[in-house]
mmCIF file of all heavy atoms in Angstrom:
data_model
loop_
_atom_site.group_PDB
_atom_site.id
_atom_site.type_symbol
_atom_site.label_atom_id
_atom_site.label_comp_id
_atom_site.label_asym_id
_atom_site.label_seq_id
_atom_site.Cartn_x
_atom_site.Cartn_y
_atom_site.Cartn_z
ATOM 1 N N LEU A 254 9.376 22.177 -67.798
ATOM 2 C CA LEU A 254 10.641 22.412 -68.505
ATOM 3 C C LEU A 254 10.404 23.249 -69.763
ATOM 4 O O LEU A 254 11.163 24.171 -70.067
ATOM 5 C CB LEU A 254 11.277 21.071 -68.886
ATOM 6 C CG LEU A 254 12.666 21.147 -69.510
ATOM 7 C CD1 LEU A 254 13.707 21.530 -68.462
ATOM 8 C CD2 LEU A 254 13.062 19.810 -70.135
ATOM 9 N N VAL A 307 13.718 15.876 -76.038
ATOM 10 C CA VAL A 307 14.196 15.826 -74.648
ATOM 11 C C VAL A 307 15.699 15.580 -74.712
ATOM 12 O O VAL A 307 16.140 14.459 -74.888
ATOM 13 C CB VAL A 307 13.522 14.694 -73.839
ATOM 14 C CG1 VAL A 307 13.873 14.831 -72.359
ATOM 15 C CG2 VAL A 307 12.027 14.690 -74.025
ATOM 16 N N GLU A 308 16.476 16.665 -74.620
ATOM 17 C CA GLU A 308 17.932 16.531 -74.710
ATOM 18 C C GLU A 308 18.452 15.811 -73.468
ATOM 19 O O GLU A 308 17.908 15.974 -72.380
ATOM 20 C CB GLU A 308 18.618 17.906 -74.766
ATOM 21 C CG GLU A 308 17.921 18.964 -75.613
ATOM 22 C CD GLU A 308 17.728 18.530 -77.044
ATOM 23 O OE1 GLU A 308 18.518 17.676 -77.488
ATOM 24 O OE2 GLU A 308 16.796 18.995 -77.702
ATOM 25 N N THR A 309 19.533 15.075 -73.674
ATOM 26 C CA THR A 309 20.143 14.395 -72.534
ATOM 27 C C THR A 309 20.481 15.405 -71.443
ATOM 28 O O THR A 309 20.326 15.145 -70.254
ATOM 29 C CB THR A 309 21.445 13.693 -72.983
ATOM 30 O OG1 THR A 309 21.144 13.027 -74.195
ATOM 31 C CG2 THR A 309 21.945 12.723 -71.963
ATOM 32 N N LEU A 310 20.910 16.587 -71.871
ATOM 33 C CA LEU A 310 21.301 17.611 -70.899
ATOM 34 C C LEU A 310 20.152 18.026 -69.980
ATOM 35 O O LEU A 310 20.373 18.466 -68.858
ATOM 36 C CB LEU A 310 21.781 18.870 -71.648
ATOM 37 C CG LEU A 310 23.181 18.779 -72.222
ATOM 38 C CD1 LEU A 310 23.475 20.013 -73.054
ATOM 39 C CD2 LEU A 310 24.197 18.631 -71.085
ATOM 40 N N SER A 311 18.943 17.920 -70.467
ATOM 41 C CA SER A 311 17.826 18.388 -69.639
ATOM 42 C C SER A 311 17.296 17.301 -68.699
ATOM 43 O O SER A 311 16.411 17.566 -67.894
ATOM 44 C CB SER A 311 16.709 18.934 -70.518
ATOM 45 O OG SER A 311 16.288 17.947 -71.416
ATOM 46 N N HIS A 312 17.837 16.091 -68.787
ATOM 47 C CA HIS A 312 17.353 15.018 -67.894
ATOM 48 C C HIS A 312 17.482 15.421 -66.426
ATOM 49 O O HIS A 312 16.575 15.213 -65.627
ATOM 50 C CB HIS A 312 18.138 13.719 -68.124
ATOM 51 C CG HIS A 312 17.762 13.050 -69.409
ATOM 52 N ND1 HIS A 312 18.410 11.947 -69.892
ATOM 53 C CD2 HIS A 312 16.801 13.338 -70.310
ATOM 54 C CE1 HIS A 312 17.856 11.582 -71.043
ATOM 55 N NE2 HIS A 312 16.891 12.416 -71.315
ATOM 56 N N HIS A 313 18.637 16.012 -66.118
ATOM 57 C CA HIS A 313 18.901 16.402 -64.741
ATOM 58 C C HIS A 313 17.844 17.418 -64.247
ATOM 59 O O HIS A 313 17.300 17.294 -63.154
ATOM 60 C CB HIS A 313 20.313 17.004 -64.676
ATOM 61 C CG HIS A 313 20.664 17.533 -63.341
ATOM 62 N ND1 HIS A 313 20.902 16.703 -62.251
ATOM 63 C CD2 HIS A 313 20.798 18.806 -62.880
ATOM 64 C CE1 HIS A 313 21.165 17.446 -61.202
ATOM 65 N NE2 HIS A 313 21.105 18.724 -61.550
ATOM 66 N N ARG A 314 17.564 18.380 -65.106
ATOM 67 C CA ARG A 314 16.581 19.416 -64.750
ATOM 68 C C ARG A 314 15.172 18.810 -64.587
ATOM 69 O O ARG A 314 14.408 19.190 -63.701
ATOM 70 C CB ARG A 314 16.593 20.505 -65.841
ATOM 71 C CG ARG A 314 15.646 21.654 -65.596
ATOM 72 C CD ARG A 314 16.065 22.537 -64.428
ATOM 73 N NE ARG A 314 15.004 23.474 -64.066
ATOM 74 C CZ ARG A 314 14.569 23.660 -62.828
ATOM 75 N NH1 ARG A 314 15.093 22.999 -61.820
ATOM 76 N NH2 ARG A 314 13.603 24.523 -62.596
ATOM 77 N N LEU A 315 14.869 17.856 -65.460
ATOM 78 C CA LEU A 315 13.556 17.196 -65.362
ATOM 79 C C LEU A 315 13.394 16.483 -64.018
ATOM 80 O O LEU A 315 12.345 16.558 -63.380
ATOM 81 C CB LEU A 315 13.387 16.168 -66.493
ATOM 82 C CG LEU A 315 12.911 16.710 -67.825
ATOM 83 C CD1 LEU A 315 13.015 15.635 -68.900
ATOM 84 C CD2 LEU A 315 11.459 17.180 -67.718
ATOM 85 N N ILE A 316 14.462 15.802 -63.619
ATOM 86 C CA ILE A 316 14.416 15.085 -62.338
ATOM 87 C C ILE A 316 14.251 16.091 -61.189
ATOM 88 O O ILE A 316 13.478 15.872 -60.253
ATOM 89 C CB ILE A 316 15.700 14.227 -62.141
ATOM 90 C CG1 ILE A 316 15.804 13.174 -63.255
ATOM 91 C CG2 ILE A 316 15.739 13.584 -60.765
ATOM 92 C CD1 ILE A 316 14.755 12.088 -63.238
ATOM 93 N N ASN A 357 14.949 8.096 -72.314
ATOM 94 C CA ASN A 357 15.766 7.618 -73.437
ATOM 95 C C ASN A 357 14.937 6.758 -74.381
ATOM 96 O O ASN A 357 15.049 6.864 -75.598
ATOM 97 C CB ASN A 357 16.965 6.808 -72.917
ATOM 98 C CG ASN A 357 18.024 7.730 -72.343
ATOM 99 O OD1 ASN A 357 18.182 8.866 -72.791
ATOM 100 N ND2 ASN A 357 18.742 7.258 -71.326
#
Side-chain angles (χ1 to χ4, degrees):
L254 186 72
V307 189
E308 320 303 335
T309 314
L310 283 174
S311 57
H312 287 174
H313 176 71
R314 181 69 191 131
L315 276 170
I316 299 293
N357 285 329

